[in-house]
Amino acid sequence: MGDGTNLLILMFSSEPFPPYSPPAMADHFIHESKAHFWRGQDWPGKQGVDYKSGSAVIEVEAENHLVQLADGKNIAYDRLVIATGSRLYAPVEGAELPGVYNFKSLSAAQNLVERVKSGEAQQALIIGAGFIGMEIALLLRKLGVAVTQVEMTEQVMPAMLDMDTAQLTLKFMQQRGIDLRLNTKAVAFIGDDKAEGVRLESGENLYADVLVAATGVRPNLEFLEGSGIAHGWGITVDEYLRTNLADIYAAGDLVEVPDLLTGETYVHAIFLNAVEQGNVAGLNILGIDNRYEGAHRMNSLKHLDLPIMAAGLKTGDQVLQTRRDGSLRTVYLQENRVVGFQMVGDIKAAGVLRGLMNRQQNVSSFKDRLLDTTFGQGTITPWV
Ligand SMILES: Cc1cc2nc3c(=O)[nH]c(=O)nc-3n(C[C@H](O)[C@H](O)[C@H](O)COP(=O)(O)OP(=O)(O)OC[C@H]3O[C@@H](n4cnc5c(N)ncnc54)[C@H](O)[C@@H]3O)c2cc1C
């Protein structure tokens, strides 16, 4: 493989777009920004990558070093990276009915926003109040739709937020006019040829013009069936992001990798991790050995006027917390090291805290400053 100078890189995407960033989709639909094409629409060409959009890979024949495309073509490879991401996971009866929208890909998001902008959808019902569900709720409110959102657990964003942060976030959502109902589980989409509402566990039915499932994500692995690539919920990889089969690597929302803080191995499905893993897999393919250290546990909402940032754990032997001007920040320490933090309303200084957490630096000498929004900004102490 050498230094990569004469490398032929082929990249296939089942979607009809240049590579894009899902976190920037909401911004795109509100401001018509092109920020979702974060590297530029001409990125593949500039990088010398032969990018084939609208080309789904339907099979991997590892023993012959071939992949098969949906149009029947076979493509040979020396090294293969599987980075097919994840898609909606909706363990709700009837989720496959027409009329159930999601926001997991640009194509799916476009369908949803087109329906809303057509003027036919005045009332939306969103199932799930995880990060993606919250983003959809805020976006639809901005587009002038009345939003009801149901969440089966007792708080919003249960995977990442602690209860205090979740409660304030809920208040912000309600202030924006979102009818968010906790402890409310949807068990089925109802309708004959088309979904028209959901049945709740309580037996109550809710109806809306537009129904959106935001119930979780699962790795896109179906096309690997029979390939021999080992996987559980996600693909099993080693520290070089190699799968169990020769010359096949995997990266992004579909790999099971260790958590940097806890060592626990699972699918992280976070943008920053996917990008880092792409770099690591790329270097290893070139024969430049690069170990993947582990994944960050974090998530954030920066757009849509509701800044939220949550990283690391939501437990520790010391908890620092402050409420200021309607915002809340909480830092979790374990043996004087930052192991997690949460912010809502104001996420200033999040980067500094993340740096301390990643380095596992002892903060005992300055922990009284960790809650300052200006923490980490340069200060000059004059000598007296
Ligand atoms: C609305 C939304 C908001 C998000 N916000 C955040 C955020 O604020 N912060 C954060 O850290 N993360 C966020 N995420 C998660 C983040 O987008 C993902 O972690 C990241 O995009 C994963 O990158 P990836 O390349 O692994 O997968 P993806 O970005 O999903 O890319 C996979 C690509 O592979 C294509 N594909 C799938 N199967 C095939 C096939 N068989 N053949 C060819 N192509 C195929 C897909 O169509 C897709 O284009 C958000 C996600 C969504 C949907």
Side-chain angles (χ1 to χ4, degrees), residues 86-168:
S86 56
R87 64 187 158 74
L88 172 70
Y89 172 56
V92 178
E93 196 187 314
E96 65 297 332
L97 278 171
V100 178
Y101 290 84
N102 75 80
F103 204 71
K104 186 57 195 81
S105 66
L106 187 49
S107 319
Q110 265 183 357
N111 287 340
L112 169 63
V113 173
E114 270 164 27
R115 167 129 181 88
V116 167
K117 289 190 171 168
S118 72
E120 290 166 34
Q122 263 103 52
Q123 168 74 51
L125 174 58
I126 300 170
I127 321 302
F131 263 86
I132 294 180
M134 301 290 274
E135 193 158 323
I136 303 168
L138 291 164
L139 169 67
L140 295 185
R141 280 302 295 141
K142 285 236 173 219
L143 295 176
V145 177
V147 175
T148 299
Q149 187 169 21
V150 296
E151 163 57 46
M152 66 180 184
T153 73
E154 58 183 359
Q155 66 163 96
V156 298
M157 297 189 250
M160 281 304 292
L161 296 191
D162 61 30
M163 194 47 101
D164 288 350
T165 313
Q167 278 173 352
L168 185 55

Coordinates of all heavy atoms in Angstrom, one line a residue, residues 86-168:
S86 N -25.7 4.0 11.0 CA -26.8 3.4 11.6 C -28.1 4.0 11.1 O -28.1 5.0 10.3 CB -26.7 3.7 13.1 OG -26.6 5.1 13.4
R87 N -29.2 3.4 11.4 CA -30.5 3.8 10.9 C -31.5 3.8 12.0 O -31.2 3.3 13.1 CB -30.9 3.0 9.7 CG -31.2 1.6 10.0 CD -31.4 0.8 8.8 NE -31.2 -0.6 9.0 CZ -31.9 -1.4 9.7 NH1 -33.1 -1.0 10.2 NH2 -31.6 -2.7 9.8
L88 N -32.7 4.2 11.7 CA -33.7 4.2 12.8 C -33.9 2.8 13.3 O -34.0 1.8 12.6 CB -35.0 4.7 12.2 CG -36.3 4.6 13.1 CD1 -36.2 5.6 14.2 CD2 -37.5 4.8 12.3
Y89 N -34.1 2.8 14.7 CA -34.5 1.5 15.3 C -35.8 1.8 16.0 O -35.8 2.6 16.9 CB -33.4 1.1 16.3 CG -33.8 0.0 17.2 CD1 -34.2 -1.2 16.7 CD2 -33.7 0.1 18.6 CE1 -34.5 -2.3 17.5 CE2 -34.1 -1.0 19.4 CZ -34.5 -2.2 18.9 OH -34.8 -3.2 19.7
A90 N -36.8 1.2 15.5 CA -38.2 1.6 16.1 C -38.9 0.3 16.5 O -39.6 -0.3 15.7 CB -39.0 2.3 15.0
P91 N -38.6 -0.1 17.8 CA -39.3 -1.3 18.3 C -40.8 -1.0 18.7 O -41.2 -1.2 19.8 CB -38.5 -1.7 19.5 CG -37.9 -0.4 19.9 CD -37.8 0.5 18.8
V92 N -41.5 -0.5 17.7 CA -42.9 -0.1 17.9 C -43.7 -0.8 16.8 O -43.3 -0.6 15.6 CB -43.1 1.4 17.9 CG1 -44.5 1.8 18.1 CG2 -42.2 2.1 18.9
E93 N -44.8 -1.5 17.1 CA -45.6 -2.2 16.1 C -46.0 -1.2 15.0 O -46.4 0.0 15.4 CB -46.8 -2.8 16.8 CG -47.5 -3.8 16.0 CD -48.8 -4.1 16.8 OE1 -48.8 -4.4 18.0 OE2 -49.9 -4.2 16.2
G94 N -46.0 -1.6 13.8 CA -46.5 -0.7 12.7 C -45.5 0.4 12.2 O -45.8 1.2 11.4
A95 N -44.2 0.3 12.7 CA -43.3 1.4 12.4 C -42.9 1.4 10.9 O -42.4 2.4 10.4 CB -42.0 1.2 13.2
E96 N -43.2 0.3 10.2 CA -42.9 0.3 8.8 C -44.0 0.9 7.9 O -43.9 1.0 6.7 CB -42.5 -1.2 8.3 CG -43.6 -2.2 8.4 CD -44.2 -2.5 9.8 OE1 -43.4 -2.3 10.8 OE2 -45.3 -2.8 9.9
L97 N -45.1 1.3 8.5 CA -46.3 1.8 7.8 C -45.8 3.1 7.1 O -45.1 3.9 7.6 CB -47.4 2.1 8.7 CG -48.4 1.0 9.1 CD1 -49.3 1.5 10.2 CD2 -49.2 0.5 7.9
P98 N -46.4 3.4 5.8 CA -46.1 4.7 5.3 C -46.7 5.7 6.2 O -47.7 5.5 6.9 CB -47.0 4.6 4.0 CG -47.3 3.2 3.7 CD -47.2 2.5 5.0
G99 N -46.1 6.9 6.2 CA -46.6 8.0 7.1 C -45.8 8.0 8.4 O -46.1 8.9 9.2
V100 N -44.9 7.1 8.6 CA -44.0 7.2 9.8 C -42.7 7.8 9.3 O -42.0 7.2 8.5 CB -43.7 5.8 10.5 CG1 -42.8 6.0 11.6 CG2 -45.1 5.2 10.9
Y101 N -42.4 9.0 9.7 CA -41.2 9.7 9.3 C -40.1 9.5 10.3 O -40.3 9.2 11.5 CB -41.5 11.2 9.1 CG -42.4 11.5 7.9 CD1 -43.8 11.4 8.1 CD2 -41.9 11.8 6.7 CE1 -44.6 11.6 7.0 CE2 -42.7 12.1 5.6 CZ -44.1 11.9 5.8 OH -44.9 12.2 4.7
N102 N -38.8 9.8 9.8 CA -37.7 9.8 10.8 C -36.7 10.9 10.3 O -36.9 11.5 9.2 CB -37.1 8.5 11.0 CG -36.2 8.0 9.8 OD1 -35.1 8.4 9.6 ND2 -36.8 7.2 8.9
F103 N -35.7 11.1 11.0 CA -34.7 12.2 10.7 C -33.3 11.6 10.7 O -32.4 12.3 11.1 CB -34.9 13.2 11.8 CG -34.4 14.6 11.4 CD1 -35.2 15.4 10.5 CD2 -33.3 15.2 11.9 CE1 -34.8 16.6 10.1 CE2 -32.9 16.5 11.6 CZ -33.6 17.2 10.7
K104 N -33.2 10.3 10.4 CA -31.9 9.7 10.6 C -30.9 9.9 9.4 O -29.7 9.7 9.6 CB -32.1 8.2 10.9 CG -30.9 7.4 11.3 CD -30.2 8.0 12.5 CE -28.8 7.4 12.7 NZ -27.8 8.0 11.8
S105 N -31.5 10.2 8.3 CA -30.6 10.5 7.1 C -31.1 11.7 6.4 O -32.2 12.2 6.7 CB -30.7 9.3 6.1 OG -32.0 9.2 5.6
L106 N -30.3 12.2 5.5 CA -30.7 13.5 4.8 C -32.0 13.2 3.9 O -32.9 14.0 3.9 CB -29.5 14.0 4.0 CG -29.7 15.3 3.3 CD1 -30.2 16.4 4.2 CD2 -28.4 15.7 2.6
S107 N -32.0 12.0 3.3 CA -33.2 11.7 2.5 C -34.4 11.6 3.4 O -35.5 12.2 3.0 CB -33.0 10.3 1.8 OG -31.8 10.1 1.4
A108 N -34.3 11.0 4.5 CA -35.5 10.8 5.4 C -35.9 12.2 6.0 O -37.1 12.6 6.0 CB -35.1 9.9 6.6
A109 N -34.9 13.0 6.3 CA -35.2 14.4 6.9 C -35.8 15.2 5.8 O -36.7 16.0 6.1 CB -33.9 15.0 7.4
Q110 N -35.4 15.1 4.6 CA -35.9 15.9 3.5 C -37.4 15.6 3.3 O -38.3 16.4 3.1 CB -35.2 15.6 2.2 CG -34.1 16.6 1.9 CD -33.4 16.4 0.6 OE1 -33.7 15.4 -0.2 NE2 -32.5 17.2 0.3
N111 N -37.7 14.3 3.3 CA -39.1 13.8 3.2 C -40.0 14.5 4.3 O -41.1 15.0 4.0 CB -39.3 12.3 3.4 CG -38.7 11.6 2.1 OD1 -38.6 12.2 1.1 ND2 -38.4 10.3 2.3
L112 N -39.5 14.5 5.5 CA -40.2 15.0 6.6 C -40.4 16.5 6.5 O -41.5 17.0 6.6 CB -39.5 14.7 8.0 CG -39.9 15.5 9.2 CD1 -41.4 15.1 9.5 CD2 -39.0 15.2 10.4
V113 N -39.3 17.2 6.1 CA -39.4 18.7 6.0 C -40.3 19.1 4.8 O -41.1 20.1 4.9 CB -38.0 19.3 6.0 CG1 -38.1 20.8 5.7 CG2 -37.3 19.1 7.3
E114 N -40.2 18.3 3.8 CA -41.1 18.6 2.6 C -42.6 18.5 3.0 O -43.4 19.3 2.6 CB -40.8 17.7 1.4 CG -39.7 18.2 0.5 CD -39.1 17.2 -0.4 OE1 -39.8 16.2 -0.7 OE2 -37.9 17.4 -0.8
R115 N -42.8 17.5 3.8 CA -44.3 17.3 4.2 C -44.7 18.5 5.0 O -45.8 19.0 4.9 CB -44.4 16.0 5.0 CG -45.7 15.8 5.7 CD -46.3 14.5 5.4 NE -47.6 14.4 6.2 CZ -48.8 14.8 5.7 NH1 -48.9 15.4 4.5 NH2 -49.9 14.7 6.4
V116 N -43.8 18.9 5.9 CA -44.2 20.0 6.8 C -44.3 21.3 6.0 O -45.3 22.1 6.1 CB -43.1 20.2 7.9 CG1 -43.2 21.5 8.6 CG2 -43.2 19.1 8.9
K117 N -43.4 21.5 5.1 CA -43.4 22.8 4.3 C -44.5 22.8 3.2 O -44.9 23.8 2.7 CB -42.1 23.0 3.6 CG -41.0 23.4 4.6 CD -39.7 23.9 4.0 CE -38.8 24.5 5.1 NZ -37.4 24.7 4.6
S118 N -45.1 21.6 3.0 CA -46.2 21.6 2.0 C -47.5 22.2 2.6 O -48.4 22.5 1.9 CB -46.5 20.1 1.7 OG -47.2 19.5 2.8
G119 N -47.4 22.4 3.9 CA -48.6 23.1 4.6 C -49.6 22.1 5.1 O -50.6 22.4 5.7
E120 N -49.4 20.8 4.7 CA -50.4 19.8 5.1 C -50.2 19.3 6.5 O -51.1 18.6 7.0 CB -50.2 18.5 4.2 CG -50.6 18.7 2.8 CD -50.1 17.6 1.9 OE1 -50.1 16.5 2.4 OE2 -49.8 17.9 0.7
A121 N -49.1 19.7 7.1 CA -48.8 19.2 8.5 C -48.8 20.3 9.5 O -47.8 21.1 9.6 CB -47.5 18.4 8.5
Q122 N -49.9 20.4 10.3 CA -49.9 21.4 11.3 C -49.6 20.9 12.7 O -49.3 21.6 13.6 CB -51.3 22.1 11.3 CG -51.3 23.4 10.5 CD -52.0 23.2 9.2 OE1 -53.1 22.6 9.2 NE2 -51.3 23.6 8.1
Q123 N -49.8 19.6 12.8 CA -49.6 19.0 14.1 C -48.7 17.7 14.0 O -49.0 16.8 13.3 CB -51.1 18.6 14.6 CG -51.1 17.6 15.8 CD -50.8 18.4 17.1 OE1 -51.3 19.4 17.4 NE2 -49.8 17.9 17.9
A124 N -47.6 17.7 14.8 CA -46.7 16.6 14.7 C -46.7 15.8 16.0 O -46.9 16.4 17.1 CB -45.3 17.1 14.4
L125 N -46.5 14.6 15.9 CA -46.3 13.7 17.1 C -44.9 13.0 17.0 O -44.7 12.3 16.0 CB -47.4 12.7 17.1 CG -47.4 11.6 18.2 CD1 -47.3 12.3 19.6 CD2 -48.6 10.7 18.2
I126 N -44.1 13.2 17.9 CA -42.7 12.6 17.9 C -42.7 11.6 19.0 O -43.0 11.8 20.2 CB -41.7 13.7 18.1 CG1 -41.8 14.8 17.0 CG2 -40.3 13.1 18.1 CD1 -40.9 16.0 17.3
I127 N -42.2 10.4 18.6 CA -42.0 9.3 19.6 C -40.6 9.3 20.0 O -39.7 9.0 19.2 CB -42.4 7.9 19.0 CG1 -43.6 8.0 18.0 CG2 -42.6 6.9 20.1 CD1 -44.9 8.6 18.6
G128 N -40.3 9.6 21.2 CA -38.9 9.6 21.7 C -38.4 10.9 22.0 O -38.5 11.9 21.2
A129 N -37.7 11.1 23.2 CA -37.1 12.4 23.5 C -35.6 12.2 23.8 O -35.1 12.7 24.8 CB -37.8 13.1 24.7
G130 N -35.0 11.4 23.0 CA -33.5 11.4 23.0 C -33.0 12.6 22.3 O -33.7 13.5 21.9
F131 N -31.6 12.6 22.0 CA -31.1 13.8 21.4 C -31.7 14.0 20.0 O -32.0 15.2 19.7 CB -29.5 13.6 21.2 CG -28.8 14.3 22.3 CD1 -28.5 13.6 23.5 CD2 -28.3 15.6 22.2 CE1 -27.9 14.2 24.6 CE2 -27.7 16.2 23.2 CZ -27.4 15.5 24.4
I132 N -31.9 13.0 19.2 CA -32.4 13.2 17.9 C -33.9 13.7 18.0 O -34.3 14.6 17.3 CB -32.3 12.0 17.0 CG1 -30.8 11.7 16.8 CG2 -33.0 12.1 15.7 CD1 -30.4 10.5 15.9
G133 N -34.7 13.1 18.9 CA -36.1 13.5 19.0 C -36.2 14.9 19.5 O -37.1 15.7 19.0
M134 N -35.3 15.4 20.4 CA -35.3 16.7 20.8 C -35.0 17.7 19.7 O -35.6 18.7 19.5 CB -34.3 16.9 21.9 CG -34.5 16.1 23.1 SD -35.9 16.5 24.1 CE -35.2 17.7 25.1
E135 N -34.1 17.3 18.9 CA -33.7 18.1 17.7 C -34.9 18.3 16.8 O -35.1 19.4 16.3 CB -32.5 17.5 17.1 CG -31.8 18.4 16.1 CD -30.4 18.1 15.8 OE1 -29.6 17.6 16.7 OE2 -30.0 18.3 14.6
I136 N -35.5 17.2 16.5 CA -36.7 17.2 15.6 C -37.8 18.1 16.2 O -38.4 18.9 15.5 CB -37.3 15.8 15.3 CG1 -36.2 14.9 14.8 CG2 -38.4 15.9 14.4 CD1 -36.6 13.4 14.8
A137 N -38.0 18.0 17.5 CA -39.1 18.7 18.1 C -38.8 20.2 18.0 O -39.7 21.0 17.6 CB -39.2 18.4 19.6
L138 N -37.6 20.6 18.3 CA -37.2 22.0 18.2 C -37.3 22.5 16.7 O -37.7 23.7 16.5 CB -35.8 22.2 18.8 CG -35.7 22.0 20.3 CD1 -34.2 21.9 20.7 CD2 -36.3 23.2 21.0
L139 N -36.8 21.7 15.8 CA -36.9 22.1 14.4 C -38.3 22.3 13.9 O -38.6 23.3 13.3 CB -36.2 21.0 13.6 CG -36.4 21.2 12.0 CD1 -35.7 22.4 11.5 CD2 -35.8 19.9 11.3
L140 N -39.2 21.4 14.3 CA -40.6 21.5 13.8 C -41.3 22.7 14.4 O -42.1 23.3 13.8 CB -41.3 20.2 14.1 CG -40.8 18.9 13.3 CD1 -41.7 17.7 13.5 CD2 -40.7 19.2 11.8
R141 N -40.9 23.0 15.7 CA -41.5 24.2 16.3 C -41.1 25.4 15.5 O -41.8 26.3 15.2 CB -41.1 24.4 17.7 CG -41.8 23.5 18.7 CD -43.3 23.8 18.8 NE -43.7 25.1 19.2 CZ -44.7 25.8 18.7 NH1 -45.4 25.3 17.7 NH2 -45.0 27.0 19.1
K142 N -39.8 25.4 15.1 CA -39.3 26.6 14.4 C -40.0 26.7 13.0 O -40.1 27.8 12.5 CB -37.8 26.4 14.1 CG -36.9 26.6 15.3 CD -35.8 27.7 15.0 CE -35.1 28.0 16.2 NZ -34.8 29.4 16.4
L143 N -40.4 25.6 12.5 CA -41.1 25.6 11.2 C -42.6 25.8 11.4 O -43.4 25.7 10.4 CB -40.8 24.3 10.5 CG -39.4 24.0 10.1 CD1 -39.2 22.6 9.4 CD2 -38.8 25.1 9.1
G144 N -43.0 26.1 12.6 CA -44.4 26.6 12.9 C -45.4 25.4 13.1 O -46.6 25.7 13.0
V145 N -44.9 24.2 13.4 CA -45.8 23.1 13.6 C -46.0 22.9 15.1 O -45.1 23.1 16.0 CB -45.1 21.8 13.1 CG1 -45.9 20.6 13.3 CG2 -44.8 22.0 11.6
A146 N -47.3 22.6 15.5 CA -47.6 22.2 16.9 C -47.0 20.9 17.2 O -47.2 19.9 16.4 CB -49.1 22.2 17.1
V147 N -46.3 20.7 18.3 CA -45.6 19.5 18.5 C -46.0 18.8 19.8 O -46.0 19.5 20.9 CB -44.0 19.7 18.6 CG1 -43.3 18.4 18.9 CG2 -43.5 20.2 17.2
T148 N -46.4 17.5 19.7 CA -46.5 16.7 20.9 C -45.4 15.7 20.9 O -45.1 15.2 19.8 CB -47.9 16.0 20.9 OG1 -48.9 17.0 20.9 CG2 -48.1 15.1 22.1
Q149 N -44.8 15.4 22.0 CA -43.7 14.5 22.0 C -43.9 13.5 23.2 O -44.2 14.0 24.3 CB -42.4 15.3 22.2 CG -41.1 14.4 22.1 CD -39.9 15.3 22.0 OE1 -39.9 16.5 22.4 NE2 -38.8 14.8 21.4
V150 N -43.8 12.2 22.9 CA -43.9 11.3 24.0 C -42.6 10.6 24.3 O -41.9 10.2 23.4 CB -45.1 10.2 23.8 CG1 -46.4 10.9 23.7 CG2 -44.8 9.4 22.5
E151 N -42.3 10.3 25.6 CA -41.1 9.7 26.0 C -41.4 8.7 27.1 O -42.1 9.0 28.1 CB -40.1 10.8 26.6 CG -39.0 10.3 27.4 CD -38.1 9.3 26.7 OE1 -37.7 9.5 25.5 OE2 -37.8 8.2 27.3
M152 N -41.0 7.4 26.9 CA -41.4 6.4 27.8 C -40.7 6.4 29.2 O -41.3 5.9 30.1 CB -41.2 5.0 27.1 CG -39.8 4.6 26.9 SD -39.8 3.0 26.2 CE -38.0 2.7 26.1
T153 N -39.6 7.1 29.3 CA -38.9 7.1 30.6 C -39.4 8.3 31.4 O -40.2 9.1 30.9 CB -37.4 7.1 30.4 OG1 -37.0 8.4 30.0 CG2 -36.9 6.0 29.5
E154 N -38.8 8.5 32.5 CA -39.2 9.6 33.4 C -38.5 10.9 33.1 O -38.7 11.9 33.9 CB -39.0 9.2 34.9 CG -37.6 8.8 35.1 CD -37.4 8.4 36.6 OE1 -38.3 8.3 37.3 OE2 -36.2 8.1 36.9
Q155 N -37.7 10.9 32.1 CA -36.9 12.2 31.8 C -36.6 12.3 30.3 O -36.6 11.3 29.6 CB -35.6 12.2 32.6 CG -34.6 11.1 32.1 CD -33.2 11.4 32.6 OE1 -32.8 10.8 33.7 NE2 -32.4 12.2 31.9
V156 N -36.2 13.5 29.9 CA -35.8 13.7 28.5 C -34.3 13.2 28.4 O -33.6 13.3 29.4 CB -35.9 15.1 28.0 CG1 -37.4 15.5 28.0 CG2 -35.1 16.1 28.8
M157 N -33.9 12.8 27.2 CA -32.5 12.4 27.0 C -31.9 11.5 28.0 O -30.9 11.8 28.7 CB -31.6 13.6 26.8 CG -32.0 14.4 25.6 SD -30.9 15.7 25.2 CE -31.8 17.1 25.6
P158 N -32.6 10.4 28.3 CA -32.2 9.5 29.5 C -30.8 8.9 29.3 O -30.2 8.6 30.3 CB -33.3 8.4 29.5 CG -34.0 8.4 28.1 CD -33.8 9.8 27.6
A159 N -30.4 8.7 28.1 CA -29.1 8.1 28.0 C -27.9 9.0 28.5 O -26.9 8.5 28.9 CB -28.8 7.7 26.5
M160 N -28.1 10.3 28.4 CA -27.0 11.2 28.7 C -27.2 12.1 29.8 O -26.3 12.4 30.5 CB -26.7 12.0 27.4 CG -25.9 11.4 26.3 SD -24.3 10.7 26.9 CE -23.3 12.1 27.3
L161 N -28.4 12.6 30.0 CA -28.6 13.7 31.0 C -28.9 13.2 32.4 O -29.6 12.2 32.6 CB -29.8 14.6 30.6 CG -29.6 15.4 29.3 CD1 -30.7 16.5 29.2 CD2 -28.2 16.0 29.2
D162 N -28.4 13.9 33.4 CA -28.8 13.6 34.8 C -30.2 14.2 35.0 O -30.6 15.0 34.2 CB -27.7 14.1 35.8 CG -27.5 15.6 35.7 OD1 -28.5 16.3 35.4 OD2 -26.4 16.0 36.0
M163 N -30.8 13.9 36.1 CA -32.2 14.3 36.3 C -32.3 15.8 36.4 O -33.2 16.4 35.9 CB -32.7 13.6 37.6 CG -34.2 13.7 37.7 SD -35.1 13.3 36.3 CE -35.6 11.6 36.6
D164 N -31.4 16.5 37.1 CA -31.5 18.0 37.2 C -31.4 18.6 35.9 O -32.2 19.5 35.5 CB -30.3 18.5 38.1 CG -30.5 18.2 39.6 OD1 -31.6 17.7 39.9 OD2 -29.5 18.4 40.4
T165 N -30.4 18.2 35.1 CA -30.3 18.8 33.7 C -31.5 18.5 32.9 O -32.0 19.3 32.1 CB -29.0 18.3 33.1 OG1 -27.9 18.4 34.0 CG2 -28.6 19.1 31.8
A166 N -32.0 17.3 33.0 CA -33.1 16.8 32.2 C -34.4 17.7 32.6 O -35.2 18.1 31.7 CB -33.4 15.4 32.4
Q167 N -34.5 18.0 33.9 CA -35.7 18.7 34.3 C -35.7 20.1 33.8 O -36.7 20.7 33.3 CB -35.8 18.7 35.8 CG -36.5 17.4 36.2 CD -36.5 17.2 37.7 OE1 -35.9 17.9 38.5 NE2 -37.2 16.1 38.2
L168 N -34.5 20.8 33.8 CA -34.4 22.1 33.3 C -34.6 22.1 31.7 O -35.3 23.0 31.2 CB -33.1 22.8 33.6 CG -32.9 24.2 33.2 CD1 -34.0 25.1 33.8 CD2 -31.6 24.8 33.7

